[in-house]
Amino acid sequence: MARFFIPLESSPRETRVAATPETVKKFIAMGCSLYFEKGAGLSAGFLDQAYIDAGAKLVEPGDDKALAESNVLLCVKKPNDELLKKLSPGTLITGLLEPYGNKTLASVLQLKGLSALSLELLPRISRAQSSDALSSQANISGYKSVILAASALDRYFPMLMTAAGTVQPAKVVVLGAGVAGLQAIATAKRLGAVVYVSDIRPAVKEQVESLGARFIEPPEISEKPSESGGYAREVSKEFLLAQRQQLIHHLSEADVAICTAQVPGKKAPCLIDDEILDQMRPGSVVVDIAVDQGGNCSGTKSNETISRKGVKLIGASDLPCTVPNHASYLYARNLLALLNPLITNGELTLNTEDELVKGALISKDGVIQCPELLSTGELN
C-alpha cells in the first residue's frame, strides 16, 4: 500500500502545504493511507481537523515511526536533510526539489537509496499541463507582482476623469511573456494600465496582443533566440546588450517594470542595468520576481525593497507563499494529477516508461538519473 507522509515545510518563508483535505480524501479513496504532520496546513488556512475528517492520520512533527512506515513523501520544497535521512530506502519524494546543481540533494538520495521526482523537470507537453506546478505557481507570482507594484506606485493604474482633471493611466513594462508574464499583463490590464511587453521569442507576440498589450519586437541581430522544452533559451551577451538598448526608451517612460524573465537552470538575464535605472523617473517601481535566480534588475535583493534615487526596487521572491491558500490548492492538485495514473488498488508503481515520470525522475532507489544536472547546474 502507498503510505503518504505530508511534512511541515522546513523552509523559513514557506507557507504552502503539499496536500489539501480535498486531495487527501482522493488519495485515500484510491486505497492509500496518509500521515499528516500536525499544523502543516495551518499557514495555508487548512485546519488539522479538516485533514482528520478527510481520513488522514495526524502525527507530531518529526514522528520517526510514521516517517519510517511511509513510502511516499509529498512536499513543496526539499525537506531538510535530517528528515530525509529518517526515510526508508525506496521512499519516493515528490516536490519542487530545486535540482539544478544540488549536490547535497544528490548525496542524501544516494546515501538513503531514495527515489525522487522533481516537478521543475516535467516536460512541457499537453499531458503534463494538469501536473505543471511551475505554471500554477508562476501564475500566482505574475498576479501578485502587479498587486505589489500598484500598492507601491505613487500614481493610479487606470485613467480617471475627474472634476479636477484627467489622470493618465500608468505605463507598465513586462519583461518576459511566460506564464508569470502573461498573468502580469492580464492583471495590469484589468487594473487599467497601458502595458508593453518585451520577450526574446517573436512567437509570443500573438499571445501578448490577445491580452491587449503592445509587443516590443526583439532586437534584429544575427542570433535568433528560441525556446527549449517550452522555455526561453539563454541568449548571447551581444543579444542581451541590444535588448537593453532597446528597452531604455520604454523604461524611461515607464511607471512600473515587472521582471519575470528566467531560464531554467541558468542565472536570470540582467535586463535593467544601472544605466537604465538612471533613466527611470523617481516614484516608479520595479518588481523583480526573478531575484532568486540572479535578478532581471541590477541591485534587487531577495525580500527587500530598496529605494534607488527614488525608484523602488522590490525583490519579490516566493510570491506564491503570499497567497498560500490558493497556491496550496493548485499545487496539491498538480501532485494528485501526476501520481494518480501511477496508483492502482492503493499501490504506487514508479513507471519509468511513463513520459512524465521519465522527465521528472532524478533518482531511482538512490541511483541518480541525471548526474550532470545535479552536479554541474548553475543554480543551487
Side-chain angles (χ1 to χ4, degrees), residues 120-189:
E120 293 96 329
L121 303 179
L122 281 173
R124 299 299 291 268
I125 58 175
S126 296
R127 192 165 74 83
Q129 287 181 353
S130 59
S131 307
D132 189 353
L134 286 183
S135 291
S136 73
Q137 304 305 294
N139 222 315
I140 294 171
S141 294
Y143 159 79
K144 195 61 185 283
S145 66
V146 175
I147 302 301
L148 277 177
S151 178
L153 186 63
D154 61 355
R155 300 183 177 187
Y156 279 121
F157 257 50
M159 182 176 75
L160 292 177
M161 300 180 71
T162 75
T166 299
V167 174
Q168 295 301 317
K171 177 178 177 179
V172 175
V173 176
V174 177
L175 305 180
V179 175
L182 292 172
Q183 183 56 244
I185 295 165
T187 304
K189 288 297 295 181

Side-chain angles (χ1 to χ4, degrees), residues 34-370:
L34 196 142
Y35 291 111
F36 191 88
E37 279 194 333
K38 185 178 180 180
L42 287 178
S43 58
F46 301 107
L47 299 177
D48 289 341
Q49 189 59 47
Y51 289 99
I52 294 171
D53 293 343
K57 300 173 184 176
L58 204 66
V59 298
E60 292 297 323
D63 187 312
D64 291 357
K65 184 172 183 287
L67 278 167
E69 290 178 357
S70 303
N71 51 28
V72 182
L73 185 141
L74 301 184
C75 56
V76 181
K77 296 287 184 68
K78 183 186 86 68
N80 59 47
D81 293 345
E82 182 183 350
L83 185 148
L84 292 179
K85 288 175 182 177
K86 294 178 180 178
L87 296 173
S88 300
T91 298
L92 172 65
I93 306 162
T94 306
L96 294 165
L97 303 180
E98 301 176 352
Y100 298 104
N102 200 330
K103 297 178 183 179
T104 303
L105 174 61
S107 297
V108 176
L109 295 175
Q110 289 175 313
L111 175 68
K112 293 297 297 182
L114 304 173
S115 298
L117 291 171
S118 187
L119 298 184
E120 293 96 329
L121 303 179
L122 281 173
R124 299 299 291 268
I125 58 175
S126 296
R127 192 165 74 83
Q129 287 181 353
S130 59
S131 307
D132 189 353
L134 286 183
S135 291
S136 73
Q137 304 305 294
N139 222 315
I140 294 171
S141 294
Y143 159 79
K144 195 61 185 283
S145 66
V146 175
I147 302 301
L148 277 177
S151 178
L153 186 63
D154 61 355
R155 300 183 177 187
Y156 279 121
F157 257 50
M159 182 176 75
L160 292 177
M161 300 180 71
T162 75
T166 299
V167 174
Q168 295 301 317
K171 177 178 177 179
V172 175
V173 176
V174 177
L175 305 180
V179 175
L182 292 172
Q183 183 56 244
I185 295 165
T187 304
K189 288 297 295 181
R190 284 194 293 268
L191 290 178
V194 175
V195 183
Y196 291 79
V197 182
S198 173
D199 195 284
I200 65 172
R201 300 163 296 169
V204 303
K205 179 178 180 179
E206 185 177 346
Q207 291 173 283
V208 166
E209 292 180 343
S210 72
L211 292 171
R214 304 173 193 183
F215 186 64
I216 303 169
E217 296 286 349
E220 293 185 4
I221 63 175
S222 58
E223 179 183 1
K224 298 295 183 184
S226 60
E227 59 182 41
S228 174
Y231 297 100
R233 289 180 182 271
E234 189 176 27
V235 297
S236 68
K237 291 181 180 179
E238 179 191 6
F239 185 92
L240 204 54
L241 180 62
Q243 189 179 21
R244 285 199 204 108
Q245 291 301 313
Q246 184 188 53
L247 288 172
I248 287 178
H249 167 70
H250 293 281
L251 288 168
S252 66
E253 297 178 349
D255 297 298
V256 170
I258 305 292
C259 303
T260 77
Q262 299 176 64
V263 180
K266 305 290 184 181
K267 290 190 179 298
C270 182
L271 302 176
I272 304 179
D273 58 12
D274 289 337
E275 180 185 359
I276 295 176
L277 286 173
D278 287 339
Q279 302 295 319
M280 295 183 72
R281 73 165 187 84
S284 60
V285 177
V286 177
V287 180
D288 191 351
I289 69 174
V291 64
D292 285 342
Q293 283 73 44
N296 294 153
C297 178
S298 174
T300 53
K301 294 184 179 179
S302 183
N303 300 310
E304 290 187 28
T305 298
I306 298 168
S307 180
R308 184 194 181 281
K309 299 181 181 179
V311 179
K312 293 180 183 177
L313 308 181
I314 301 176
S317 62
D318 299 322
L319 285 183
C321 298
T322 67
V323 192
N325 186 272
H326 275 157
S328 299
Y329 168 79
L330 296 170
Y331 181 76
R333 284 194 157 205
N334 292 145
L335 289 177
L336 177 67
L338 176 63
L339 297 179
N340 185 17
L342 306 179
I343 299 172
T344 304
N345 297 326
E347 296 290 341
L348 189 151
T349 303
L350 197 57
N351 178 13
T352 55
E353 297 303 313
D354 182 281
E355 196 171 6
L356 302 190
V357 172
K358 187 176 180 180
L361 189 66
I362 59 175
S363 173
K364 178 73 165 66
D365 297 330
V367 178
I368 303 302
Q369 305 297 303
C370 43

